[in-house]
């Protein structure tokens, strides 16, 4: 089969190759999925660039120990492990699995694809929408009627966070860059602020929950926009994420400020929740651009600009699939 393999760190066009590799082995608790679409997450370009540098400690110092890349997939089950009873050959599924930039993945995290979404739309969900769900529901503990602000609402995580917060009944203010004002308004935000022109931290409005995907204001200023008892959920920052993490930790410990960081965990039950929200018309992935598997270097190059409106999706065309029949369970 074909897969994108990362051979080092640096420019995507230099370190990413489309190669012929063995199909993944099918363990008893996995399903073999013929990938029809995948999507690009921030973690992908960070892995390619080894940015921040310290992630080499986990990935490999000079080159990644495991060259597979990609996390999100949607596709069709081609073989089922002996212990899997809830999925069958031919089922359309979506989920997350390292190495998803490939013709096939052997996945534990697989849930029936939302019936009303295409493979491309479903592939946009797993990592980014799970992050948004866990930020809004688990870390933000958002309740109906609360005022919530999503800072940086136009990107992968942000555009899902707006929709999920609305589904939980929050009054949502969304900040975004000028070009995405219309898009973010179309997601259902009650108020939209152009962060290039207006600084929400200087306004009089206070929020019970702030979900920060942009990180363009100081943590102190952002906390001042919280109401009493409010909380700031830091999802990420478009630059210097580690500095922000360290400063946030210090502020939380020394100043007792309500700053929460978290790393999203992919769980089957959350994928199921996303499926149900999509089928109920409460979650709609926005796709900025679509690339093919062979164009992953260009897709990663586009993603690292951090100006994407919603998500970048990869299609995995049928004619690329090869390597004979899938491994038997
Ligand atoms: N904690 C976790 O588990 C987790 C999971 C996934 C991602 N993340 C992190 O969350 C962040 C967003 O991820 P993503 O996948 O949504 O990335 P993305 O689609 O590339 O979105 C980029 C984000 O950065 C903002 N941004 C870009 N340029 C900016 C500028 N000049 N000033 C202020 N904001 C700017 C964008 O705001 P607009 O689009 O509104 O302009 C958008 O929110 C990244 O830092 C990523 O590493 C964390």
């Amino acid at each position: 089969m074909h897969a994108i393999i990362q051979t080092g760190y640096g420019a995507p066009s230099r370190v990413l190759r489309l190669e012929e590799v063995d199909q993944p082995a099918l363990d008893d608790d996995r399903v073999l999925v013929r990938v029809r679409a995948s999507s690009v997450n921030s973690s992908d370009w960070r892995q390619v660039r080894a940015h921040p540098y310290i992630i080499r400690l986990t990935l490999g110092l000079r080159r990644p120990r495991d060259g597979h890349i990609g996390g999100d997939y949607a596709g069709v089950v081609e073989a089922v492990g002996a212990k899997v009873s809830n999925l069958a050959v031919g089922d359309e599924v979506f989920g997350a699995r390292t190495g998803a930039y490939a013709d096939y993945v052997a996945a534990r995290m697989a849930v029936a694809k939302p019936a009303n979404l295409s493979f491309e739309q479903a592939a946009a969900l797993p990592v980014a929408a799970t992050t948004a769900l866990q930020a809004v529901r688990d870390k933000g503990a958002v309740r109906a009627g609360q005022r919530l602000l999503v800072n940086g609402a136009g990107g992968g995580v942000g555009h899902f966070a707006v929709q999920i917060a609305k589904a939980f009944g929050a009054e949502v203010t969304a900040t975004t860059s000028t070009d995405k004002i219309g898009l973010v308004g179309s997601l259902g935000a009650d108020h939209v602020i152009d962060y290039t022109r207006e600084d929400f931290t200087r306004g009089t409005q206070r929020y019970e929950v702030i979900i920060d995907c942009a990180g363009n204001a100081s943590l102190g200023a952002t906390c001042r926009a919280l109401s009493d008892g409010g909380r700031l959920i830091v999802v990420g920052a478009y630059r210097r994420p580690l500095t922000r993490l360290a400063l946030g930790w210090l502020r939380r410990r020394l100043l007792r400020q309500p700053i929460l960081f978290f790393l999203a965990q992919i769980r089957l039950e959350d994928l199921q929740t996303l499926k149900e929200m999509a089928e109920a018309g409460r979650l709609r992935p926005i796709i900025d651009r679509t690339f093919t598997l062979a164009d992953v270097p260009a897709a990663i190059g586009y993603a690292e600009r951090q100006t994407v409106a919603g998500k970048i999706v990869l299609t995995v065309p049928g004619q690329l699939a090869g390597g004979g029949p899938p491994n038997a369970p």
Side-chain angles (χ1 to χ4, degrees), residues 123-271:
L125 288 173
V127 171
T130 293
T131 305
L133 178 67
Q134 293 177 2
V136 171
R137 181 196 62 191
D138 304 344
K139 301 296 164 187
V142 172
R143 296 187 307 278
Q146 286 189 319
R147 284 184 304 271
L148 174 146
L149 179 134
V150 179
N151 189 32
V157 177
H159 91 290
F160 286 131
V162 169
Q163 298 178 67
I164 292 169
K166 281 302 297 175
F168 276 75
E171 179 184 333
V172 177
T173 300
T175 81
T176 192
S177 40
T178 313
D179 291 351
K180 303 186 200 170
I181 293 283
L183 166 79
V184 168
S186 76
L187 301 173
D190 299 286
H191 318 278
V192 184
I193 295 172
D194 180 343
Y195 62 56
T196 68
R197 294 175 188 199
E198 187 181 334
D199 179 354
F200 73 90
T201 68
R202 293 176 183 272
T204 53
Q205 187 61 262
R206 297 289 174 264
Y207 303 93
E208 275 93 17
V209 179
I210 296 177
I211 296 187
D212 194 2
C213 305
N216 52 343
S218 77
L219 289 164
T222 307
C223 282
R224 283 197 291 279
L226 289 172
S227 57
D228 284 348
R231 51 177 85 178
L232 165 59
I233 317 300
V234 178
V235 173
Y238 80 104
R239 62 184 168 87
R240 295 192 301 151
L242 282 187
T243 307
R244 209 161 171 83
L245 185 67
L247 289 176
W249 186 83
L250 285 172
R251 283 180 167 275
R252 185 177 167 82
R253 298 288 298 213
L254 303 178
L255 305 177
R256 305 269 169 230
Q257 288 184 331
I259 302 175
L260 277 74
F261 294 88
F262 78 110
L263 209 49
Q265 306 287 323
I266 303 294
R267 301 187 199 110
L268 282 173
E269 58 269 31
D270 287 348
L271 292 175

Side-chain angles (χ1 to χ4, degrees), residues 40 153-157 159 180 183 285-288 307-312:
V40 180
V157 177
H159 91 290
K180 303 186 200 170
L183 166 79
I286 300 295
I287 297 175
D288 178 319
T307 55
V308 178
K311 292 282 297 177
I312 299 170

